[in-house]
């Protein structure tokens, strides 16, 4: 990988922050955008802008073509069987809320159970709590050990005849753990239970083949893989999409409307009410093309080198605790300087031009597991360098000197 060349594709990275070179290590929160993604947005608005699906005029047909080509791109990228299984959403959060509503209505009764893991993002907990509240169902939790690995052997004890769905993140946004989702899916299917994979933090690091995984549902966000914000995907096996009711009503999702009742559009439009983010979909297409030209396996290999380097360097500083030491990790590292508040550490690093995230990372149950109030999180993308990690390490040492007596 020619990282210096890749960096040239990302205009934002050449900025100075408080007089320092920007060191952007907040990629798990959102990734920066390459020029080709920015160009796709500009081109759409300067040449093709028009609403999709509803017009016979040239621009509307062109815009529809771009939107539907993006759907095909996503289908190929995750190897779905059919374009009808790709529902565009605002992001992973909306994908999971959509599923929680529609799956809940179709499949969940009073007394049923949903399993989530202890390391889920709030986006894969709260929608299920809301659904359980509506349907009188119960949420059960698959725990993890102190290394940050799911106790998958416990699954057999947690599953009951009432279990309707298992929801698990592929990669933890806080611990970096790459979970053994294929094994979890296999085990769940032995009991006839479908599985939702939250791929918000996986899509940019791990090659995903939904047919090989055999997951029933998968959620992803475009902005985590170099595309625009406000575009994401719910992948679902067609049989489920057929049987689930729509999440929202409005334009584009209907076949016919009368005051006696309405009928739904063909899949996947039944789940895409209102004006979709067609510009975002085009940007996702451009981002996935970009990732493919570099190669996801090259990216993953390089990011693993960055993670190993950072883990070794950061753990060799005295008085640091790293949270999440799973044997399989993506390029995310959460830590604290013992005796310093994560927020103060983030402030010191910021003044050095280093962007990291501090706090709970929308995973309060993980904080509870370790009895902490938050962590500092550095997360690496393909454009980060070993030199940037050196800058981070010096910054941590400086923060320690300033904050710990
Ligand atoms: N799941 C995980 C694991 C995440 O990291 C995130 C984003 N931080 C989400 C879900 C939600 O994604 P979005 O905010 O893009 O909807």
């Amino acid at each position: 990988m020619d990282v210096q060349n890749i960096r040239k594709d990302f205009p934002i990275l050449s900025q100075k922050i408080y007089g320092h070179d920007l060191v952007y290590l907040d990629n798990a929160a959102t990734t920066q955008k390459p020029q080709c993604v920015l160009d796709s947005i500009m081109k759409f608005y300067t040449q093709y802008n028009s609403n999709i699906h509803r017009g016979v005029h040239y621009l509307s047909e062109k815009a529809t073509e771009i939107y539907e080509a993006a759907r095909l791109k996503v289908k190929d990228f995750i190897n779905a069987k059919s374009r009808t299984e790709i529902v565009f959403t605002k992001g992973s959060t909306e994908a999971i809320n959509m599923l929680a509503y529609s799956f809940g209505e179709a499949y969940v009764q009073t007394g049923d159970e949903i399993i989530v893991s202890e390391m889920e993002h709030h986006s894969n907990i709260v929608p299920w709590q809301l659904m359980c509240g509506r349907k009188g169902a119960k949420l059960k939790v698959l725990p993890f050990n102190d290394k940050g690995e799911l106790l998958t052997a416990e699954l057999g004890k947690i599953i009951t005849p009432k279990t309707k769905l298992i929801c698990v993140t592929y990669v933890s946004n806080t611990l970096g753990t790459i979970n053994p989702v294929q094994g979890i899916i296999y085990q769940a299917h032995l009991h006839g239970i479908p599985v939702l994979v939250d791929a918000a933090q996986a899509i940019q690091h791990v090659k995903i083949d939904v047919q090989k995984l055999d997951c029933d549902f998968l959620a992803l966000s475009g902005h985590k893989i170099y595309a625009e914000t406000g575009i994401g995907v719910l992948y679902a096996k067609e049989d489920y999409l057929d049987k689930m009711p729509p999440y929202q009503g409005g334009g584009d999702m209907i076949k016919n409307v009368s005051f006696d009742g309405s009928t739904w559009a063909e899949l996947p439009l039944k789940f895409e009410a209102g004006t979709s983010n067609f510009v975002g979909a085009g940007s996702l297409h451009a981002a996935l093309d970009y990732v493919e030209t570099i190669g996801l396996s090259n990216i993953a290999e390089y990011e693993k080198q960055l993670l190993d380097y950072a883990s070794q360097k950061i753990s060799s500083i005295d008085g640091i605790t790293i949270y999440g030491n799973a044997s399989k990790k993506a390029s995310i590292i959460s830590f604290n300087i013992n005796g310093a508040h994560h927020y103060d550490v983030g402030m010191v690093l910021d003044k050095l031009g280093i962007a990291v995230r501090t706090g709970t990372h929308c995973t309060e149950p993980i904080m509870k597991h370790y009895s902490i109030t938050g962590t500092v999180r550095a997360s690496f993308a393909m454009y980060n360098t070993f030199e940037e990690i050196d800058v981070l390490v010096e910054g941590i040492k400086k923060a320690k000197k300033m904050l710990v007596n």
Side-chain angles (χ1 to χ4, degrees):
M1 288 220 338
D2 185 346
V3 177
Q4 285 313 324
N5 253 340
I6 288 173
R7 288 181 71 82
K8 286 188 202 140
D9 293 335
F10 291 81
I12 201 170
L13 295 178
S14 53
Q15 272 187 91
K16 298 255 183 221
I17 304 286
Y18 308 121
H20 300 279
D21 288 337
L22 167 65
V23 176
Y24 185 77
L25 303 178
D26 195 16
N27 295 288
T30 200
T31 53
Q32 300 302 349
K33 316 306 170 198
Q35 192 61 50
C36 61
V37 166
L38 303 175
D39 288 346
S40 84
I41 299 163
M42 190 63 168
K43 191 168 175 188
F44 194 96
Y45 281 123
T46 48
Q47 293 185 31
Y48 306 123
N49 186 42
S50 182
N51 209 334
I52 53 168
H53 289 153
R54 289 160 216 173
V56 288
H57 62 83
Y58 176 84
L59 287 184
S60 177
E61 285 188 358
K62 198 77 197 158
T64 305
E65 235 171 66
I66 290 169
Y67 185 66
E68 292 303 331
R71 196 189 306 280
L72 276 181
K73 182 75 206 181
V74 174
K75 169 206 163 274
D76 290 341
F77 196 80
I78 63 172
N79 195 31
K81 243 188 221 156
S82 157
R83 56 173 286 287
T84 52
E85 298 176 320
I86 306 297
V87 178
F88 279 124
T89 65
K90 274 198 305 194
S92 302
T93 303
E94 190 179 53
I96 298 170
N97 275 278
M98 178 182 290
L99 183 66
Y101 176 81
S102 298
F103 183 88
E105 290 303 300
Y107 293 100
V108 181
Q109 312 288 334
T110 307
D112 283 343
E113 296 167 356
I114 306 291
I115 297 175
V116 298
S117 95
E118 190 189 2
M119 68 170 76
E120 295 312 305
H121 187 280
H122 296 164
S123 294
N124 206 18
I125 300 174
V126 182
W128 301 112
Q129 287 175 328
L130 290 170
M131 188 272 273
C132 285
R134 276 195 306 271
K135 307 298 290 190
K138 191 175 161 199
L139 199 67
K140 294 175 88 177
V141 180
L142 174 67
F144 63 84
N145 64 22
D146 290 347
K147 279 177 78 181
E149 292 168 336
L150 284 181
L151 299 175
T152 47
E154 303 272 303
L155 204 51
K157 291 183 225 154
I158 299 170
I159 289 172
T160 74
K162 294 267 180 201
T163 307
K164 282 288 158 13
L165 183 70
I166 297 174
C167 309
V168 65
T169 191
Y170 203 148
V171 171
S172 162
N173 63 307
T174 300
L175 304 170
T177 313
I178 301 176
N179 285 315
V181 288
Q182 185 140 22
I184 293 172
I185 293 162
Y186 179 79
Q187 218 180 326
H189 285 178
L190 290 179
H191 298 267
I193 302 165
V195 177
L196 160 69
V197 174
D198 175 355
Q201 295 292 342
I203 191 73
Q204 65 282 44
H205 303 298
V206 182
K207 175 74 198 136
I208 290 179
D209 180 330
V210 288
Q211 291 190 64
K212 197 162 156 225
L213 278 180
D214 201 22
C215 58
D216 304 275
F217 309 102
L218 183 129
L220 64 92
S221 297
H223 71 100
K224 309 268 191 198
I225 185 162
Y226 313 105
E228 227 188 327
T229 46
I231 187 74
V233 170
L234 173 68
Y235 158 81
K237 285 182 181 165
E238 193 167 322
D239 195 38
Y240 284 107
L241 287 179
D242 262 336
K243 295 198 172 91
M244 295 190 308
Y247 172 50
Q248 292 183 326
D252 235 22
M253 54 73 72
I254 48 87
K255 191 179 279 167
N256 294 107
V257 176
S258 80
F259 288 115
D260 297 326
S262 302
T263 53
W264 315 138
E266 298 295 314
L267 294 177
L269 298 189
K270 171 179 148 187
F271 291 95
E272 293 182 1
T275 298
S276 301
N277 184 359
F278 40 81
V279 188
S283 85
L284 180 57
H285 191 161
L288 297 181
D289 279 344
Y290 182 80
V291 164
E292 277 181 348
T293 51
I294 295 165
L296 202 50
S297 56
N298 295 332
I299 295 170
E301 198 177 305
Y302 176 67
E303 288 173 343
K304 168 98 175 63
Q305 290 170 22
L306 290 175
L307 176 73
D308 289 348
Y309 185 74
S311 302
Q312 185 263 319
K313 284 261 175 171
I314 294 173
S315 61
S316 68
I317 306 170
D318 268 351
I320 297 276
T321 307
I322 291 180
Y323 303 93
N325 294 293
S327 58
K328 285 189 80 181
K329 275 186 74 170
S331 52
I332 293 170
I333 178 162
S334 268
F335 63 92
N336 273 323
I337 300 177
N338 302 338
H341 195 277
H342 49 88
Y343 183 74
D344 294 332
V345 178
M347 295 279 280
V348 173
L349 295 177
D350 172 54
K351 294 294 174 287
L352 299 168
I354 306 165
V356 292
R357 190 140 295 242
T358 58
T360 66
H361 319 298
C362 297
T363 54
E364 287 188 22
I366 296 182
M367 302 303 125
K368 189 162 178 221
H369 181 107
Y370 292 107
S371 303
I372 52 177
T373 57
T375 75
V376 181
R377 181 186 71 186
S379 49
F380 311 111
M382 62 167 126
Y383 41 65
N384 289 126
T385 65
F386 295 97
E387 291 75 25
E388 287 182 313
I389 291 169
D390 291 339
V391 173
L392 170 68
V393 168
E394 286 314 303
I396 296 170
K397 287 180 181 163
K398 187 165 184 178
K400 189 182 159 199
K401 218 177 257 170
M402 287 171 70
L403 301 170
V404 183
N405 300 321

